[in-house]
Amino acid sequence: MNRANRPRFSRISGSSYASKLLGRAGDGSTLSLDFTTGVLDPRLTFTRTSDATFINSSGLVQWANANIVRRSEDCTNWGGAQNISPTADAAIAPNGTQTADQLNLLSISYRYQITASNKVIGGQRYTGSIYVRAVSGTAQVNLRIVNTADGNNGVAVTRTVGETWTRLEGSFLLASNGTLIDIGLDQRTGIPNAGPGVAANVYVWGLQLQPGGTAGEYLQTTTTENYNTPRFDYDPTTGSPRGLLIEGSATNLVTQSSAMNNWTFTRATTSTPSVTAPDGASTSVLVTGTADVYCHSVQNASSISFTPQNYTFSVWLKAGATNFAQLSFTNSVGFPTNTYVNVNLSNGTLGTVGGTGATATISTAYPNGWYRVTLTANQTLTTAHTGSCLIYLVSNSTAARAESWDASSASVYVFGAQLEAGSGASSYIPTGASQGTRALDHCYATGANFTSWFSVGAGTMVVVSDNIKNNVQNLAATISDDSTSNYVRMGFKVGGASNEYLLTTVGGPSSFQGAADSGYAPPLNTVYRMAYAWDTNNFGIVANGGAVVTDSSGTLAGAGVLTRLVVGGDFVAVPNDIYFKNGHIRSLKYWPTRLPNAQLQSLTT
């Protein structure tokens, strides 16, 4: 089992190994964060309010751990009980606390929790789990997960348990979204709606329902779901760590992102052979051409509304009976004429890119011959228009859009279509019958977890990171009073006068005290090193060991004003869904002094 999947009881931020890494470099730094270890420093808090995906160390698309069942340790508030009087906090739970409840399950009794309908996606796999043990002797228990759309599209896991804790786990593929899932515990056997079994007297703890095919680390919930799991991303080809993934909110505008056989196809057919998709769990869709003028699949135009801005279309492709495919936007919605990119799936290279200003990328290889291909273009019309994104079968890597040829022997595998606003593809957002949205990531330190290493006045921060998608400002870090009044902001601004910059303010947004621009504009998906240094009338910034750019005017916030570090983002108490990283943070180090320019260059070389 790889580290990204391994269940454990401890909080993900509670690694003693991470603690040993802090401040031990012997170079004068008081904060040293290494995000390639796969654990979060215990002084950092991480929050997110939705599901999200990342690339695990096996190179597969994986859901971040989550629990979408509320009141996971309080079965007295679960619904569906029949002839049951639960006893709260009756025993010691697996985590050593007095939080396990007791249930006396009679031959006709059961108890279950129902999840909210807007938390599940049709076409995705879900896993339920719960810890159970007998009060004495042995007991037969049954974990049931049922799709209420048909009552039987689910799973039942029956186990005889003794007086030690056992985690019951069951997984199933949800046929359609917009429905509820029932997940719960009873004494019945067999399929989810089987008849009664025998009575069971058990302790229970830690009910969990999450997307994906395996049960991850248990996450407690109370009155809300729990998505607060950081994502440590990996290179899909080498498996090497890329660090902490921090992204802003984004919406996948296409529906049926993995069940693409539900798209509208023109002059092509689809099938779902047993070929493993990039997530390692789903079945991909094979698009096969016909002996007609040209062939392509097209997303229902009425479901996508384009406004004047950049859009990126991305999808995973794998060679079938042919090696060539093409992504395209329709011309009727204000994109440049013949906006498309051709790809050669035999060697993972791009062919012709068509359309004024259009750009494209192809990833390094994912497992089993998959590549993620992106196409970015600008919709220039001043009003919103509905339109489509398309996948063509073509005969070579330079073929024109809507090529005329006999494609009856051509086919490619497709998976994970995503259309989003902006330049660059963010992490995959699976969708079913509706569009899907991923929420903003927040990672921060405050209180004693901030003041234990921060020093008022001069300072230096060195960050190793990358950007996977551009936005208004890709922030590496912000030190602030959690408002727009006082801060030290370090990031990359798209357009305008700044590239990589250091900006400080005292007393308000219009009171800029010091600003320095390195002039470095990092390409997407490229690792770079930045040093940001500040002192009164002595600000400096440098990229990748280049010349240090300075600013000799400006003051700093006084004692007790700055109270918080945000990694890869801006403020938390005043959330700003414009300023965030949209990329990976590999490492971050802080010195409580303004280091000399020569040392800044050395640290970023």
Side-chain angles (χ1 to χ4, degrees), residues 53-115:
T53 67
F54 67 103
I55 307 302
N56 67 24
S57 58
S58 298
L60 299 176
V61 178
Q62 179 180 318
W63 288 98
N65 199 27
N67 190 354
I68 60 177
V69 174
R70 300 178 182 181
R71 302 185 184 277
S72 62
E73 296 176 13
D74 183 12
C75 72
T76 61
N77 278 290
W78 297 357
Q82 290 186 0
N83 302 318
I84 302 175
S85 298
T87 303
D89 302 334
I92 300 298
N95 67 347
T97 62
Q98 186 85 17
T99 53
D101 297 341
Q102 181 174 335
L103 290 179
N104 297 326
L105 300 170
L106 305 178
S107 61
I108 59 172
S109 66
Y110 59 88
R111 192 169 195 90
Y112 63 87
Q113 170 79 33
I114 302 177
T115 66

Side-chain angles (χ1 to χ4, degrees), residues 286-289 318-324 345 393 407-413:
L286 180 67
V287 179
T288 302
K318 172 183 169 71
T322 187
N323 294 320
F324 304 104
L345 299 172
L393 298 174
S408 58
S409 298
S411 64
V412 296
Y413 295 94

Side-chain angles (χ1 to χ4, degrees), residues 574-589:
V574 188
N576 190 328
D577 206 7
I578 298 176
Y579 305 148
F580 44 82
K581 182 59 191 174
N582 260 349
H584 304 93
I585 306 289
R586 282 169 166 76
S587 63
L588 181 153
K589 295 188 73 171

Side-chain angles (χ1 to χ4, degrees), residues 266-548:
T266 302
R267 303 178 183 91
T269 61
T270 63
S271 58
T272 54
S274 298
V275 173
T276 302
D279 64 355
S282 304
T283 298
S284 58
V285 174
L286 180 67
V287 179
T288 302
T290 60
D292 209 327
V293 179
Y294 64 94
C295 60
H296 65 269
S297 65
V298 56
Q299 173 71 22
N300 187 343
S302 63
S303 66
I304 302 174
S305 179
F306 293 94
T307 57
Q309 61 182 311
N310 284 332
Y311 286 89
T312 296
F313 176 36
S314 59
V315 67
W316 277 270
L317 300 173
K318 172 183 169 71
T322 187
N323 294 320
F324 304 104
Q326 182 186 99
L327 304 190
S328 178
F329 288 114
T330 54
N331 293 331
S332 60
V333 292
F335 289 101
T337 301
N338 291 333
T339 299
Y340 68 91
V341 58
N342 290 324
V343 296
N344 184 340
L345 299 172
S346 67
N347 55 16
T349 57
L350 295 178
T352 302
V353 179
T356 303
T359 59
T361 66
I362 188 167
S363 69
T364 56
Y366 282 74
N368 304 312
W370 288 95
Y371 295 92
R372 195 182 192 193
V373 184
T374 75
L375 175 64
T376 299
N378 183 256
Q379 198 283 99
T380 58
L381 296 183
T382 57
T383 56
H385 287 74
T386 58
S388 309
C389 48
L390 306 94
I391 302 171
Y392 283 87
L393 298 174
V394 291
S395 60
N396 58 70
S397 62
T398 61
R401 187 173 182 269
E403 175 193 17
S404 298
W405 67 302
D406 182 354
S408 58
S409 298
S411 64
V412 296
Y413 295 94
V414 297
F415 174 83
Q418 185 155 305
L419 177 68
E420 59 192 297
S423 300
S426 64
S427 60
Y428 177 44
I429 305 170
T431 63
S434 304
Q435 297 174 350
T437 297
R438 180 194 60 246
L440 173 71
D441 295 308
H442 271 312
C443 183
Y444 59 95
T446 189
N449 291 329
F450 174 77
T451 57
S452 62
W453 54 265
F454 181 73
S455 177
V456 175
T460 299
M461 188 165 287
V462 174
V463 182
V464 181
S465 65
D466 63 42
N467 302 332
I468 63 174
K469 180 180 178 180
N470 284 330
N471 59 318
V472 176
Q473 296 190 42
N474 293 81
L475 286 182
T478 300
I479 299 173
S480 74
D481 62 354
D482 213 20
S483 78
T484 58
S485 295
N486 301 281
Y487 59 75
V488 179
R489 184 181 282 166
M490 296 155 274
F492 164 60
K493 184 176 181 180
V494 179
S498 297
N499 290 309
E500 280 287 350
Y501 67 88
L502 166 70
L503 183 65
T504 68
T505 188
V506 178
S510 61
S511 305
F512 295 131
Q513 297 296 307
D517 177 10
S518 71
Y520 175 65
L524 293 182
N525 300 302
T526 300
V527 179
Y528 61 99
R529 296 173 176 268
M530 294 296 305
Y532 310 88
W534 56 92
D535 197 358
T536 300
N537 299 326
N538 185 10
F539 299 85
I541 182 171
V542 58
N544 297 330
V548 179

